[in-house]
Amino acid sequence: MGDIVFQNTLGGKNQVFVPLHPGQARMYTCGPTVYDFAHIGNFRTFVFQDVLRRFLRSRGFEVIQVTNFTDVDDRIIAKAAEAKLDIREYTDKYIDAFLADQRVLGIRKPEYTVRATDHIEDMVQLIERLTAKGFTYVSDGSIYFRISQFPDYGKLTHVDTAGIKAGARVDVDRYDKADARDFALWKAPKPGEFFWKTRIGPGRPGWHIECSAMAMKYLGETIDIHSGGVDLAFPHHENEIAQSEAATGKPFVRYWLHAEHLLVDSQKMSKSLGNFYTLRDLLEKGNKPSTIRFLLASVPYRRQLNFTQEGLQQAASSVERLRNFTIRLNTSKFPEGTSTVSESAERASKDFERALEDDLNTAQALAAVFDLIREVNVAVDHGEFQQGDVAPVRKTLESFDAIFAVLQDDDDEKLRSIGMEAGAKAPSNEQIEELVTARQVARKTRDFAKADRIRQDLANQGIILEDSKDGIVRWKRK
Ligand SMILES: [Zn+2]
């Protein structure tokens, strides 16, 4: 196996991944701001991060991943007040929904999933450290970070700070590059607004300080990988670097990985355009969890992903092909021996790994797997595929599924887990196997009417049977 190379946003170069602590990958991923259901653009990033952690795991790294819930910010405070709930109550609902959505998409749970509001003391301590080093000032009860004090400010996103007047401030959590100014670490409460009483005064943390405090608490002052959507690079990640490095004097993050935007029908997703989808919107339209995961994972994270109906259909048929292929491999009998397909399988495994080593080029990794499937299908059709070829082909499929996680036919189960009935009528694999066996028995006892009835029943439920010459019955979902 070769080196793993990542394109580092910091510096813009491809770099071999060498973790700070041998054998261990410590990574921080910015989680959702929980004021609403997460949308499909958010999940593009979270699926990429899952592919990243699965790949590192498959390479034997111990992954220590921290992800946060931003459960206090400008929007949450406004929305919770509107709903007449305290922010904890307001955000609980969206945290639960997010965790359920993650499971539906096969996203593994990080080692630490933490809430910002449980770490106020850590943030206060970090602000105190910055104050002791002269990086902060107070204005109207809020505490600001003085970016002119930190010469490296802008090194991640190359924002130009030359023309900024000393003391020019920005109070909102999210702003543009044109607004690169001193940002709030701690915000004084507006009248009637919720606040914490702390040593640094009443108020609440700014968004950026949350991630620095939580990342360093669980992962140390220098972490290996920090990832997020490209829209977080400025100001959020730029500010995270400034706060963390000003406080510790050490590099904060060694590899910055940013996932590109997701477009819907070539346009930026927005509620006003009517092309804004949460995961549940897509499931309600009848898309399977595996289809959505496959589509999101199939485009390399540094490339824009154009999300279309056509793309969903293609993803659905790709997953179906993969599953049918696995069934064919597992249920057929092949002549003893080994053919050249074994070598092809080994080559496919290598190509698959090599593609992922190359900054997680998932598209190329998939191409290696589908090329192999094509070759195996042709070999089987021509009677050239042999029993000895099964193991190497299966190994390629296992490597594939350790990362992509779509082979298991558990979509209906996942839908049911979030109370959706869409696929609930579809029979389980066990039920299908039982009916297939019952039909075999009926045929053996020459009860053809019954055999036909079972075949028809299954067809009505979208299950297609194929009788092969060797007497083995294969089935697939339509
Ligand atoms: Zn963050």
Side-chain angles (χ1 to χ4, degrees):
M1 275 183 281
D3 289 333
I4 298 171
V5 172
F6 291 131
Q7 188 185 329
N8 194 344
T9 311
L10 183 65
K13 293 207 178 68
N14 288 341
Q15 291 176 331
V16 173
F17 176 64
V18 184
L20 196 58
H21 305 84
Q24 213 180 49
R26 301 186 183 195
M27 60 187 218
Y28 186 85
T29 49
C30 290
T33 302
V34 280
Y35 66 101
D36 205 344
F37 293 101
H39 58 68
I40 200 69
N42 301 136
F43 282 114
R44 196 252 160 127
T45 303
F46 299 129
V47 167
F48 140 63
Q49 289 160 342
D50 184 62
V51 165
L52 170 62
R53 77 166 276 134
R54 283 170 180 266
F55 181 55
L56 291 169
R57 283 288 296 265
S58 79
R59 285 306 186 85
F61 287 100
E62 180 197 354
V63 174
I64 306 178
Q65 182 185 3
V66 178
T67 190
N68 71 300
F69 288 116
T70 294
D71 58 349
V72 54
D73 89 332
D74 297 337
R75 286 169 298 185
I76 288 170
I77 288 179
K79 291 228 174 200
E82 227 171 83
K84 297 197 180 357
L85 292 171
D86 72 42
I87 57 172
R88 198 85 186 180
E89 278 173 314
Y90 180 78
T91 53
D92 273 347
K93 171 180 160 194
Y94 295 112
I95 288 178
D96 289 346
F98 181 77
L99 292 172
D101 286 358
Q102 296 265 79
R103 285 194 296 275
V104 167
L105 281 178
I107 296 171
R108 294 234 165 101
K109 207 163 179 244
E111 283 61 33
Y112 298 94
T113 303
V114 292
R115 293 175 77 143
T117 55
D118 287 333
H119 295 79
I120 301 297
E121 172 59 22
D122 301 287
M123 298 169 205
V124 167
Q125 279 176 22
L126 185 55
I127 295 168
E128 285 176 328
R129 254 173 110 178
L130 288 166
T131 300
K133 291 194 168 187
F135 284 100
T136 69
Y137 61 91
V138 178
S139 176
D140 292 333
S142 292
I143 305 175
Y144 294 88
F145 185 91
R146 195 189 303 276
I147 62 173
S148 61
Q149 198 86 3
F150 185 72
D152 271 352
Y153 192 85
K155 69 176 171 182
L156 182 69
T157 58
H158 311 293
V159 64
D160 184 13
T161 55
I164 295 167
K165 260 193 11 232
R169 293 181 297 277
V170 53
D171 280 294
V172 290
D173 285 326
R174 286 160 205 264
Y175 51 89
D176 296 331
K177 276 192 179 188
D179 284 322
R181 283 179 279 173
D182 294 347
F183 58 92
L185 298 164
W186 188 255
K187 300 186 184 197
K190 296 190 188 84
E193 207 179 67
F194 174 79
F195 64 91
W196 280 268
K197 250 173 138 171
T198 71
R199 293 189 300 280
I200 56 174
R204 62 174 172 101
W207 172 34
H208 317 296
I209 197 75
E210 297 176 6
C211 286
S212 288
M214 291 184 281
M216 292 198 287
K217 173 171 180 147
Y218 295 99
L219 299 172
E221 293 182 342
T222 299
I223 68 180
D224 292 312
I225 301 172
H226 194 318
S227 66
V230 68
D231 52 322
L232 295 187
F234 188 87
H236 187 51
H237 293 157
E238 199 72 74
N239 292 350
E240 278 189 46
I241 292 175
Q243 302 156 156
S244 308
E245 299 192 355
T248 66
K250 294 176 194 163
F252 173 45
V253 171
R254 303 171 66 240
Y255 304 87
W256 282 97
L257 309 188
H258 288 103
E260 262 298 332
H261 283 122
L262 174 141
L263 303 175
V264 175
D265 299 324
S266 306
Q267 283 178 306
K268 202 170 171 223
M269 187 165 58
S270 80
K271 283 187 175 153
S272 58
L273 283 174
N275 66 356
F276 185 97
Y277 299 116
T278 63
L279 175 64
R280 287 163 205 234
D281 293 336
L282 293 170
L283 298 174
E284 267 156 25
K285 285 172 182 282
N287 296 295
K288 292 179 181 178
S290 58
T291 302
I292 299 166
R293 178 178 169 95
F294 184 89
L295 177 54
L296 294 179
S298 65
V299 176
Y301 76 98
R302 290 264 178 194
R303 258 190 252 158
Q304 277 194 350
L305 192 163
N306 190 21
F307 196 87
T308 61
Q309 190 53 42
E310 204 192 351
L312 278 167
Q313 273 158 10
Q314 275 171 12
S317 71
S318 295
V319 173
E320 194 182 288
R321 249 173 83 204
L322 284 156
R323 288 179 179 173
N324 288 339
F325 178 78
T326 311
I327 292 168
R328 187 175 202 191
L329 197 68
N330 290 341
T331 57
S332 305
K333 270 252 168 287
F334 305 106
E336 285 309 315
T338 304
S339 80
T340 53
V341 175
S342 285
E343 285 156 44
S344 300
E346 261 146 48
R347 206 177 321 119
S349 281
K350 280 200 190 105
D351 290 347
F352 180 81
E353 293 295 323
R354 219 170 280 145
L356 293 176
E357 284 163 7
D358 178 15
D359 200 27
L360 301 178
N361 191 334
T362 47
Q364 212 168 328
L366 285 175
V369 173
F370 280 103
D371 283 350
L372 177 67
I373 290 178
R374 209 168 300 125
E375 190 182 330
V376 173
N377 278 330
V378 170
V380 173
D381 292 344
H382 290 137
E384 288 158 6
F385 189 82
Q386 301 185 323
Q387 198 59 36
D389 301 326
V390 172
V393 172
R394 203 174 272 157
K395 194 169 151 269
T396 308
L397 286 176
E398 280 165 9
S399 307
F400 157 81
D401 209 46
I403 310 295
F404 285 85
V406 292
L407 286 186
Q408 209 189 327
D409 192 352
D410 56 2
D411 290 300
D412 295 336
E413 222 174 287
K414 284 177 166 165
L415 288 171
R416 279 194 291 266
S417 78
I418 53 166
M420 289 188 61
E421 291 296 324
K425 284 198 203 84
S428 69
N429 289 1
E430 293 74 43
Q431 288 168 319
I432 297 168
E433 297 287 356
E434 248 168 57
L435 286 167
V436 169
T437 310
R439 176 169 165 272
Q440 293 286 74
V441 173
R443 285 175 69 179
K444 274 206 186 102
T445 56
R446 309 191 68 78
D447 186 351
F448 295 113
K450 184 177 179 189
D452 284 346
R453 207 163 53 235
I454 294 174
R455 173 189 274 275
Q456 193 52 51
D457 279 353
L458 283 166
N460 293 345
Q461 298 180 78
I463 311 300
I464 308 297
L465 301 186
E466 281 173 19
D467 293 307
S468 66
K469 278 179 289 190
D470 49 19
I472 291 169
V473 182
R474 284 192 287 270
W475 59 266
K476 63 182 186 186
R477 293 173 196 270
K478 216 181 339 194

